[in-house]
Amino acid sequence: MLKFKELIVTTSLICLQYNTVILQCHALVLQHRNFGFQSIREHGKMYSFLQASRRSGAMARKRKKTVNKSSSKNSSAAGSQKTVHASPKVFHGQGNIYSLPAIYDLAFGYRNYEEEVNFLLSAHEDLLSEAETLNPVSKERKYDILELAAGPARHSLTAMAMNQVHSCTALDMSEDMMNYSEGLADNELVNVQESGKRENFKYICGDMRSFSSGNGNLVPKSSMDSVWILLGSMQHLLTNDDVISCFQSVSNCLKKEGTVIIELPHPREVFTMGECTRNSWEVPLEDESGNDFGNLKIMWGDDDDAFDPIKQIRDFSVSFNLDMDTNNAQNMQDFHNLEQSVPMRVFTMQEIDALGRICGLIPRKTYGALSQDVNINNEEEAFRLVCVLQKT
């Protein structure tokens, strides 16, 4: 088994200012061995990955007035080398994109996890009652966090390094994601100054609809301070029954005054589904010498995706495509480009309000991004719907 080296991934995010985010990624997946990935090497050389510098659509850091429907890479570094486009391997149904945890981690690694976790913790603390806030015992209490549909669980892993967090539990249906995230925790939490951090992070393979209910008790009752459902993961709950089952499990596992924080596409998008637009970006690939050798191209939604206005479900076209120069492509035969259709529901705030109240979760605050500075009604800055609900 190849040794795993820590790779530095640098990203330039499109926002009001261009911020550089450093994040760690172990390697791009080729085959799922040990904890979920195998390093990419060419004759012993480990490659590093540069984050996407061009982004568009709902996943962008800032809402853009015009959607970039095609993303072309600056070819100056590539010279005259021919680029190879591998034939995609097409899948239908869920469970395939999510079985490539390292690629998924790389594709969505442009997020500033530290800033977002600070927001999540602050949003929770803002809703604690005055009596709870003034209680000396409460000031010393550290939070127990649950992240649903967690994927690589980057938010949970980031939170574990923070002083106000006692434990994080990640839950996802993908065993590949679980194994990959456990490997990340083994590497990243062992050096955290406060002892016991690795032991206080755990990953559960389970269904977000029934993890703390009569159908399952993977998470004990009244054990969590806050539950996070991020990156639009709630969109996989296609029916009201699915949402209610999830919210009931959330309510069961929350402590008194506990919160659930949900991140979804902005409701503005719900009313423009008649004109589905492409949401795509690139991750440039660079070797250790700084030479460009290709791109990982990600698409999450295309122009002609089918949308059912009755069920509010869009069949998102999702693809991970690796474009490499001829020499490197010869060493990448084990990697298959992927295309998949992923049905996802779009939500309005009124729906979240009603479905939450059914389960004793009352909407308290909304934001237009994972930032307290972005108002949900700000047409320029608001690009997400972030709902904070609290257990009554």
Side-chain angles (χ1 to χ4, degrees):
M1 188 64 191
L2 299 176
K3 294 182 179 179
F4 300 102
K5 296 182 179 180
E6 183 176 83
L7 303 178
I8 303 301
V9 182
T10 310
T11 179
S12 298
L13 305 176
I14 295 181
C15 51
L16 289 176
Q17 298 176 343
Y18 293 97
N19 299 314
T20 301
V21 178
I22 304 299
L23 47 99
Q24 298 176 343
C25 178
H26 290 276
L28 185 62
V29 60
L30 289 179
Q31 297 173 347
H32 311 309
R33 299 179 182 173
N34 289 347
F35 58 95
F37 59 88
Q38 180 183 11
S39 302
I40 294 179
R41 289 180 179 269
E42 180 197 10
H43 306 301
K45 182 190 293 183
M46 180 75 75
Y47 291 114
S48 61
F49 304 94
L50 294 183
Q51 280 293 316
S53 61
R54 295 175 292 279
R55 304 201 178 280
S56 64
M59 285 296 187
R61 298 292 299 180
K62 176 185 175 184
R63 174 176 173 257
K64 306 297 291 182
K65 290 184 178 180
T66 59
V67 178
N68 178 20
K69 295 186 179 180
S70 63
S71 184
S72 60
K73 171 185 159 300
N74 188 331
S75 60
S76 58
S80 60
Q81 285 185 310
K82 181 180 178 181
T83 300
V84 173
H85 302 268
S87 299
K89 185 174 183 179
V90 180
F91 294 96
H92 297 285
Q94 292 179 306
N96 297 293
I97 295 295
Y98 306 102
S99 66
L100 299 174
I103 294 182
Y104 185 95
D105 192 18
L106 179 64
F108 292 97
Y110 61 88
R111 313 262 303 211
N112 189 324
Y113 296 110
E114 185 173 353
E115 286 185 4
E116 293 179 357
V117 168
N118 281 327
F119 162 80
L120 294 166
L121 295 174
S122 295
H124 170 74
E125 291 173 347
D126 287 348
L127 293 181
L128 297 179
S129 66
E130 183 176 354
E132 178 80 2
T133 304
L134 296 177
N135 187 338
V137 176
S138 297
K139 291 182 179 180
E140 299 177 359
R141 193 181 76 187
K142 296 186 177 183
Y143 301 126
D144 296 303
I145 307 297
L146 172 65
E147 183 178 2
L148 297 180
R154 284 291 182 180
H155 289 92
S156 292
L157 292 170
T158 302
M160 285 305 302
M162 299 186 174
N163 292 330
Q164 61 265 55
V165 174
H166 170 255
S167 73
C168 283
T169 300
L171 183 144
D172 199 288
M173 293 184 70
S174 169
E175 291 188 16
D176 294 298
M177 288 290 186
M178 178 181 69
N179 294 332
Y180 175 80
S181 184
E182 292 280 10
L184 294 178
D186 290 339
N187 282 274
E188 297 181 8
L189 297 182
V190 292
N191 295 322
V192 176
Q193 291 183 350
E194 186 176 346
S195 62
K197 285 291 189 177
R198 176 61 185 94
E199 291 75 14
N200 288 341
F201 170 82
K202 67 177 181 179
Y203 205 115
I204 298 172
C205 190
D207 193 325
M208 68 187 294
R209 295 169 295 184
S210 57
F211 60 89
S212 183
S213 64
N215 297 325
N217 194 27
L218 298 174
V219 181
K221 185 177 181 180
S222 304
S223 61
M224 297 294 167
D225 293 288
S226 188
V227 176
W228 302 340
I229 311 176
L230 306 173
L231 266 171
S233 296
M234 206 177 88
Q235 292 183 272
H236 294 294
L237 303 177
L238 304 182
T239 69
N240 287 342
D241 286 341
D242 287 342
V243 179
I244 292 171
S245 294
C246 175
F247 279 178
Q248 191 59 61
S249 283
V250 169
S251 182
N252 288 342
C253 79
L254 281 175
K255 301 175 184 178
K256 181 181 178 181
E257 292 193 338
T259 60
V260 54
I261 305 177
I262 304 166
E263 180 200 3
L264 291 164
H266 196 282
R268 188 184 297 111
E269 295 188 18
V270 178
F271 301 101
T272 59
M273 280 291 104
E275 300 177 358
C276 296
T277 55
R278 171 171 290 190
N279 178 31
S280 61
W281 63 97
E282 294 183 11
V283 179
L285 308 181
E286 208 177 64
D287 65 22
E288 291 177 331
S289 301
N291 298 317
D292 189 356
F293 71 88
N295 286 279
L296 175 64
K297 296 183 178 181
I298 302 98
M299 180 181 69
W300 203 276
D302 206 350
D303 297 326
D304 57 355
D305 286 346
F307 176 67
D308 185 335
I310 306 301
K311 296 180 179 180
Q312 296 176 204
I313 295 175
R314 175 180 176 183
D315 292 329
F316 279 81
S317 298
V318 179
S319 66
F320 295 153
N321 294 305
L322 190 61
D323 289 347
M324 305 181 68
D325 63 66
T326 306
N327 293 332
N328 288 296
Q330 292 175 354
N331 296 280
M332 293 294 295
Q333 294 177 358
D334 288 335
F335 177 77
H336 297 280
N337 294 337
L338 300 179
E339 294 181 0
Q340 183 178 349
S341 178
V342 181
M344 302 183 78
R345 176 177 175 177
V346 291
F347 287 90
T348 66
M349 185 59 223
Q350 294 281 43
E351 290 173 295
I352 301 299
D353 187 310
L355 294 168
R357 289 177 187 274
I358 290 173
C359 303
L361 301 171
I362 307 303
R364 299 298 191 194
K365 290 188 177 182
T366 56
Y367 302 89
L370 290 175
S371 169
Q372 292 181 315
D373 298 329
V374 181
N375 187 286
I376 187 66
N377 294 312
N378 188 319
E379 291 189 4
E380 291 299 318
E381 301 303 322
F383 67 100
R384 304 296 274 171
L385 168 62
V386 179
C387 313
V388 185
L389 293 79
Q390 188 172 36
K391 181 178 179 178
T392 55

